[in-house]
Amino acid sequence: MKIVVRKAAGGDPVPEGTYVFTLQELRGPDSRDFTKEDGEDVHIEQSFLVIAKVASGPSAGRVAMSRFDVDGDFGWTFTTLAEACTGKRYKEGDPIETEQMVGRQFTATVHHRTGNDGRVYTDLRKIVAVAGVPRGAAAVPKGRASLAKAAKKSR
């Protein structure tokens, strides 16, 4: 997932590192179409624009915006974000009440990269809940089965 980092009044993008974010707004769901690098056309039925703000520290107040898909290859990332914000575990078919996510905090590690358009983008990795999760937690698993295994290991 990529996030366009907005600059705070003349400031720099959020530096790479681990931050606590507050989820400010979810816009959507919207559908979207795109073409992968290999030429495959993809249709996403539900996608949200997630707007999150750094909650504390020297980068407090800086805003990151990201498109999270609910379905498709990376649909698990939206579920991971929902679980981090609400503290609930979701299984396939469970409804996610997005209103419960807004205003909640989550921790994510920011990594920068430059897009083909020359803009600075960030990848949010290691999305976890703020309370009760160690800062050095393992990377977010790539599948639902791995998610369950990781949850058991962290107990």
Side-chain angles (χ1 to χ4, degrees):
M1 76 194 92
K2 64 183 175 182
I3 291 190
V4 177
V5 180
R6 285 196 207 165
K7 293 184 178 184
D12 295 321
V14 177
E16 290 184 327
T18 301
Y19 298 91
V20 174
F21 288 92
T22 302
L23 201 154
Q24 298 293 300
E25 185 180 350
L26 287 169
R27 292 184 188 165
D30 299 310
S31 62
R32 69 187 190 102
D33 297 299
F34 64 94
T35 303
K36 290 184 178 180
E37 289 179 8
D38 65 4
E40 178 186 353
D41 290 331
V42 177
H43 174 75
I44 300 296
E45 194 62 37
Q46 293 185 27
S47 185
F48 285 92
L49 180 64
V50 174
I51 301 171
K53 188 180 286 190
V54 177
S56 62
S59 295
R62 293 209 171 113
V63 174
M65 295 175 20
S66 177
R67 178 126 333 251
F68 280 72
D69 296 333
V70 177
D71 55 310
D73 291 347
F74 291 97
W76 62 269
T77 58
F78 186 81
T79 303
T80 300
L81 178 64
E83 290 176 344
C85 288
T86 65
K88 297 177 184 177
R89 291 286 179 198
Y90 297 96
K91 58 183 185 235
E92 189 172 341
D94 286 348
I96 296 174
E97 297 295 331
T98 55
E99 297 84 16
Q100 294 178 1
M101 296 169 60
V102 176
R104 301 285 183 94
Q105 294 185 331
F106 63 95
T107 300
T109 301
V110 173
H111 294 272
H112 292 169
R113 67 179 175 75
T114 303
N116 293 336
D117 57 4
R119 295 173 71 182
V120 176
Y121 291 88
T122 65
D123 292 323
L124 285 188
R125 301 179 183 170
K126 300 182 183 179
I127 299 172
V128 295
V130 173
V133 178
R135 287 277 186 196
V140 174
K142 294 194 177 192
R144 298 296 300 164
S146 297
L147 238 168
K149 288 178 190 174
K152 286 180 184 176
K153 284 182 184 177
S154 68
R155 290 182 188 154

